[in-house]
């Protein structure tokens, strides 16, 4: 009986250590992209405080930092991953994440909102809100970040 308990303790310890290592390795690309983007934007702009980080994968990849500049203004910094071009926008002239989610709920009536990301489509800043519909199928609702105008819906994936 003692050998069985020792064996179970060793097995559980191995599972815990393995799970921890797997989690750290799987979250490492996100953490590195966030840190690299913050450093890149801070070097080239007056970013002083970071609030949120978004990673958007459309036809191109965009990494977005929201935060305050040295003057205390709330800003959005959208970085094109290939090329590093930074698009800076005033947060006061943009829809908030909560507004984008509210608009998606009103338009699509999803069963569950998964997340919202800032990106660019054809040099146009957008919110992409992903959700699960009533059939548990994946959907995306894309709206203009500045105006809230609907751009496209991708549903039943």
């Amino acid at each position: 009986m003692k050998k069985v308990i020792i064996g179970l303790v060793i097995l559980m310890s191995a599972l815990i250590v393995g799970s921890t290592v797997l989690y750290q390795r799987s979250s490492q690309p996100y953490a590195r992209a966030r840190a690299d983007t913050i450093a890149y934007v801070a070097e080239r702009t007056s970013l002083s405080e970071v609030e949120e980080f978004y990673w958007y994968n459309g036809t191109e990849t965009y990494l977005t930092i929201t935060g305050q500049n040295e003057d205390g203004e709330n800003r959005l910094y959208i970085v094109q991953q290939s090329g590093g071009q930074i698009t800076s926008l005033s947060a006061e002239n943009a829809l908030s994440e909560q507004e984008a989610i509210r608009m998606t709920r009103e338009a699509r009536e999803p069963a569950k909102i998964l997340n919202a990301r800032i990106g660019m489509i054809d040099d146009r800043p957008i919110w992409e809100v992903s959700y699960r519909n009533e059939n548990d199928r994946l959907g995306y609702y894309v709206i203009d970040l500045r105006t809230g105008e609907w751009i496209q819906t991708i549903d039943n994936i």
Side-chain angles (χ1 to χ4, degrees):
M1 185 68 175
K2 188 175 183 180
K3 288 182 182 184
V4 171
I5 293 174
I6 291 172
L8 287 174
V9 168
I10 291 171
L11 179 64
M12 291 301 291
S13 298
L15 285 173
I16 291 170
V17 169
S19 297
T20 302
V21 169
L22 181 64
Y23 175 77
Q24 287 176 340
R25 287 191 181 188
S26 67
S27 64
Q28 189 175 24
Y30 180 87
R32 182 168 181 188
R34 183 181 191 280
D36 290 350
T37 303
I38 291 169
Y40 184 81
V41 170
E43 285 176 9
R44 290 161 177 78
T45 68
S46 60
L47 175 69
S48 64
E49 185 179 321
V50 174
E51 292 173 9
E52 295 289 334
F53 172 73
Y54 300 96
W55 188 336
Y56 169 79
N57 289 306
T59 54
E60 294 186 50
T61 298
Y62 291 91
L63 306 164
T64 302
I65 298 293
T66 66
Q68 292 185 351
N69 64 13
E70 293 171 349
D71 297 329
E73 299 170 325
N74 291 323
R75 306 289 301 173
L76 306 170
Y77 300 97
I78 305 171
V79 181
Q80 183 180 21
Q81 188 178 39
S82 63
Q85 178 182 352
I86 299 174
T87 302
S88 177
L89 305 167
S90 169
E92 279 77 31
N93 298 329
L95 294 174
S96 70
E97 181 175 357
Q98 292 78 21
E99 290 171 316
I101 289 171
R102 180 189 54 76
M103 292 175 76
T104 302
R105 283 189 201 284
E106 289 174 2
R108 304 304 301 166
E109 298 178 358
K112 180 180 181 183
I113 297 288
L114 301 176
N115 58 33
R117 297 176 276 289
I118 296 173
M120 300 274 277
I121 295 178
D122 298 328
D123 296 326
R124 186 178 187 182
I126 57 104
W127 274 108
E128 177 191 75
V129 181
S130 59
Y131 60 89
R132 293 273 178 199
N133 64 20
E134 66 279 352
N135 299 324
D136 203 35
R137 304 289 302 257
L138 182 61
Y140 296 95
Y141 191 71
V142 181
I143 57 176
D144 187 289
L145 183 108
R146 293 183 193 137
T147 65
E149 177 187 348
W150 170 83
I151 297 174
Q152 73 182 44
T153 302
I154 303 168
D155 207 4
N156 289 319
I157 298 175

